[in-house]
Amino acid sequence: MTTKIISTSPFSDQAPGTSGLRKDVKTFKSEHYLCNFIQSLFNCLDLSSGKQTLVLGGDGRYFNPEAIQIILKMAAANGVKKILLGKNGILSTPAASTIIRKYQTLGGILLTASHNPGGPNGDFGVKYNISNGGPAPESLTDKIFAESQQISQYFIDDGHDIDMTQCNVHTLANMSIEIIDPVKDYADQMESIFNFSCIKGMIGSGSFTMVFDAMHAVTGPYATEILGQRLGLDAASITNAKPSPNFGGGHPDPSLTTAKALVNTMFNESHAPNFGAASDGDGDRHMILGDYFFVNPSDSLAILAANAHCIPHYKKIGVKGIARSMPTSQAADQVAKKMQIPIYETPTGWKFFGNLLDNDKITFCGEESFGGGANHIREKDGLWAVLFWLNLIAAKHDSVENIVRKHWAEYGRNYYSRHDYEAITLEQGEEIMAHLRHRLPLLTGTQLDNNLTISQADDFTYIDPIDSSVSQHQGIRIIFENQSRIVYRLSGTGTQGATLRIYIERYEQDSKLHDLDIQETLKDLIMHSLQIAEVQKMTGRSKASNIV
Ligand code: G1P
Ligand code: ZN
């Protein structure tokens, strides 16, 4: 076998976004595109260090198998000693994090575009996770991008393709490739955190019904092992459990608009199950539903933290602190205040939780975008959240809706919604943000109507409390005296044009007012959010294309 040195030249668009490099499949398939990025990554890794093993796998989407074969050959040519590869190329994002940590590898390469659609006309993505199991921090992604802008050659072995369908060991040049069970380590970890006998008792009781929708994505095999084999759930209650390269033609995103079948089951049938849940393409997001009831992800974070003592593992380790991304509602802040523990507000993207978790500053963290997790790994974790809810329901003998309503009664309710303006042009997106930034000094102190006075208006800057790294321009915050908020930011995960996200929040303490229609109760704030940013004038749009 020989190493080939291939001449190439840079692509200007290889800056990793909120969560790795995401492009449409066609771009990734174009000549040198994937190889350039992978070589840029290898150029930034210390492959001479003691840790020379990398984890490799992905969400099973279209182009995963081809990309894996290419990456294996490039890894061998770049001096990687060993690869732990998920069988059939499968590894959910949380399982990859578990495996990196358990086997103390240098890091892992995750092939996923998360909840973006897959298939020949869909998206693909490459994400690098470091030795703590979490997404590469900006210092590293900036370096990878810099390398990609000066690349002139890459190295690739001319060996044969590897059979990924059996758990055994292969050799490519001097590199060993161990094909591993993608599920076992993760399932064992879940079993060590949650009270499986308590959940199993509830599932087997005959009085509890549930459905988990794997959306033809990566969590199918994980749910089959954990919910089915280990917790006794019947196979019919795990829907769309077989991963497919184009996610069955669907959009593997657990939200009220995209998880249609599950939503119909939970909201339209005369006998809806007690519990419904779904995860996304790579298994790190979750949506929780009760019968005729939706749990807002920001509330989910707050509720899990407030009830951590119901789970023996978390009762034992305690809750050190909570972190939420800046646009996530402030529901968790109410919990932290009562528990007298710190709350951290970080920029959007899981990578910002890494330092806080590594340094034991927080136990739980979450994002409004259906992401929640804890200190067991360094990624958000869809099935973890599902198991947490199941454990809570079993321990409390209560329904999803009651658990949420009791939480609101105790802590108040943060009415919350996100309005997306998708596929506007990059210029429009940047102009809106620039215009808002320009207006910031004028906004503080402005009274918009009788009970809406702006107490603070800023462009969110995060200073990492551990390494003091500074992340600027992380979103525009308009904060009102009554704790209401409007937040604006541009998406960092899209592959076409720009998406403007507007997050709107209002706090209501009075439990007699906890049953209002969300859009109706937020309507004044929504109107102000459009006026402040002059959204219609700048985009020509009169309403959001997606409301969460
Ligand atoms: C979106 C979510 C963000 C999440 C990211 C990756 O990013 O908003 O919370 O971390 O996906 O899953 P955005 O498109 O807003 O940059
Ligand atoms: Zn995801």
Side-chain angles (χ1 to χ4, degrees):
M1 251 167 277
T2 51
T3 293
K4 290 191 286 186
I5 302 174
I6 311 286
S7 298
T8 187
S9 50
F11 294 95
S12 61
D13 64 348
Q14 293 203 323
T18 312
S19 193
L21 182 68
R22 264 184 221 179
K23 299 284 167 198
D24 55 21
V25 166
K26 289 190 190 83
T27 303
F28 262 108
K29 273 185 141 179
S30 60
E31 200 181 8
H32 304 317
Y33 196 88
L34 173 68
C35 297
N36 271 22
F37 188 69
I38 297 294
Q39 186 63 52
S40 306
L41 165 64
F42 285 145
N43 290 349
C44 296
L45 300 184
D46 180 9
L47 293 170
S48 61
S49 76
K51 291 180 179 176
Q52 292 180 347
T53 300
L54 289 176
V55 171
L56 177 62
D59 59 12
R61 67 178 57 228
Y62 181 83
F63 193 52
N64 260 19
E66 295 89 332
I68 285 172
Q69 300 293 353
I70 293 171
I71 293 169
L72 288 174
K73 288 170 194 162
M74 289 188 67
N78 276 279
V80 174
K81 280 280 164 304
K82 184 173 177 183
I83 296 269
L84 294 177
L85 173 65
K87 188 172 143 193
N88 293 316
I90 291 287
L91 277 182
S92 76
T93 293
S97 190
T98 298
I99 291 166
I100 293 170
R101 291 170 70 76
K102 180 167 177 183
Y103 299 103
Q104 300 186 5
T105 71
L106 177 63
I109 301 174
L110 281 60
L111 305 179
T112 172
S114 187
H115 53 290
N116 293 17
N121 299 316
D123 289 336
F124 190 74
V126 179
K127 185 174 148 187
Y128 184 70
N129 281 26
I130 58 173
S131 60
N132 73 353
E138 276 187 340
S139 52
L140 178 53
T141 53
D142 288 350
K143 252 182 167 173
I144 299 171
F145 179 54
E147 282 292 328
S148 78
Q149 296 311 290
Q150 55 182 37
I151 192 166
S152 61
Q153 57 183 27
Y154 60 84
F155 306 101
I156 185 160
D157 215 275
D158 69 351
H160 56 87
D161 282 2
I162 296 297
D163 173 17
M164 300 189 269
T165 61
Q166 305 297 329
C167 288
N168 48 24
V169 179
H170 298 264
T171 308
L172 197 61
N174 294 323
M175 185 177 82
S176 115
I177 301 165
E178 186 180 339
I179 308 211
I180 56 170
D181 178 340
V183 177
K184 185 173 180 306
D185 292 317
Y186 176 79
D188 290 349
Q189 188 179 41
M190 291 301 110
E191 197 160 352
S192 74
I193 294 174
F194 298 109
N195 188 341
F196 270 34
S197 61
C198 172
I199 304 174
K200 194 170 181 178
M202 175 176 76
I203 288 176
S205 67
S207 58
F208 176 82
T209 49
M210 68 169 280
V211 51
F212 176 80
D213 188 346
M215 305 193 85
H216 297 288
V218 81
T219 42
Y222 294 86
T224 302
E225 169 64 21
I226 297 170
L227 301 174
Q229 295 301 315
R230 300 196 187 194
L231 292 169
L233 185 67
D234 58 305
S237 300
I238 305 172
T239 56
N240 304 315
K242 201 171 174 318
S244 105
N246 70 348
F247 307 114
H251 190 169
D253 187 14
S255 77
L256 287 175
T257 35
T258 39
K260 287 203 182 66
L262 177 69
V263 170
N264 280 340
T265 306
M266 300 305 296
F267 285 87
N268 289 338
E269 285 189 353
S270 49
H271 293 292
N274 304 110
F275 181 79
S279 191
D280 71 331
D282 62 329
D284 59 358
R285 295 186 176 203
H286 70 276
M287 175 169 71
I288 303 294
L289 303 170
D291 44 348
Y292 299 87
F293 196 80
F294 167 70
V295 183
N296 181 286
S298 299
D299 284 344
S300 181
L301 170 67
I303 291 165
L304 298 189
N307 291 288
H309 58 276
C310 299
I311 315 279
H313 170 76
Y314 291 114
K315 187 168 184 183
K316 195 168 126 210
I317 67 170
V319 185
K320 283 278 167 60
I322 312 172
R324 61 165 174 82
S325 67
M326 184 272 279
T328 301
S329 99
Q330 299 164 102
D333 303 36
Q334 305 291 342
V335 174
K337 196 157 106 197
K338 199 155 188 174
M339 290 173 82
Q340 297 183 326
I341 54 171
I343 177 92
Y344 297 87
E345 187 174 41
T346 60
T348 295
W350 208 259
K351 59 191 170 210
F352 292 102
F353 297 135
N355 276 346
L356 297 171
L357 290 165
D358 282 350
N359 289 277
D360 213 17
K361 299 284 185 210
I362 56 169
T363 307
F364 298 113
C365 42
E367 295 191 280
E368 55 71 40
S369 52
F370 299 83
N375 57 356
H376 61 292
I377 53 171
R378 296 295 178 269
E379 285 282 1
K380 55 189 173 237
D381 193 340
L383 273 170
W384 169 87
V386 172
L387 290 166
F388 202 135
W389 271 95
L390 286 172
N391 205 154
L392 220 50
I393 296 164
K396 286 179 165 274
H397 305 286
D398 213 345
S399 69
V400 173
E401 177 167 353
N402 280 342
I403 292 173
V404 177
R405 289 197 180 281
K406 285 176 189 166
H407 183 92
W408 291 338
E410 186 171 351
Y411 296 93
R413 178 171 182 186
N414 291 70
Y415 283 101
Y416 184 83
S417 183
R418 190 183 86 208
H419 287 220
D420 294 333
Y421 290 76
E422 298 160 303
I424 57 174
T425 65
L426 272 178
E427 294 72 34
Q428 288 171 333
E430 271 153 22
E431 206 185 322
I432 289 177
M433 297 308 286
H435 174 67
L436 276 168
R437 262 179 217 120
H438 180 73
R439 291 199 60 194
L440 282 176
L442 302 171
L443 289 171
T444 308
T446 307
Q447 184 170 11
L448 299 183
D449 60 38
N450 285 345
N451 45 26
L452 268 188
T453 301
I454 300 175
S455 58
Q456 187 182 338
D458 62 13
D459 186 356
F460 182 57
T461 295
Y462 180 62
I463 304 174
D464 187 291
I466 308 298
D467 63 17
S468 303
S469 57
V470 179
S471 302
Q472 289 178 308
H473 305 306
Q474 297 297 324
I476 302 288
R477 297 191 294 189
I478 314 270
I479 304 170
F480 296 89
E481 278 173 358
N482 64 2
Q483 301 187 48
S484 290
R485 285 197 317 170
I486 298 171
V487 171
Y488 303 87
R489 60 180 282 280
L490 296 181
S491 157
T493 57
T495 54
Q496 308 293 337
T499 291
L500 171 70
R501 302 200 195 282
I502 308 180
Y503 310 79
I504 304 113
E505 175 180 4
R506 180 177 90 73
Y507 179 65
E508 178 58 70
Q509 195 154 25
D510 184 352
S511 60
K512 291 189 288 302
L513 298 174
H514 284 171
D515 221 0
L516 307 176
D517 179 83
I518 299 169
Q519 300 304 322
E520 181 60 30
T521 192
L522 294 177
K523 94 171 179 286
D524 289 350
L525 279 165
I526 294 169
M527 180 195 76
H528 291 304
S529 76
L530 298 179
Q531 282 174 357
I532 292 170
E534 299 189 79
V535 175
Q536 183 157 9
K537 185 174 139 204
M538 303 276 213
T539 66
R541 307 264 185 97
S542 56
K543 56 178 194 309
S545 53
N546 181 39
I547 296 179
V548 190

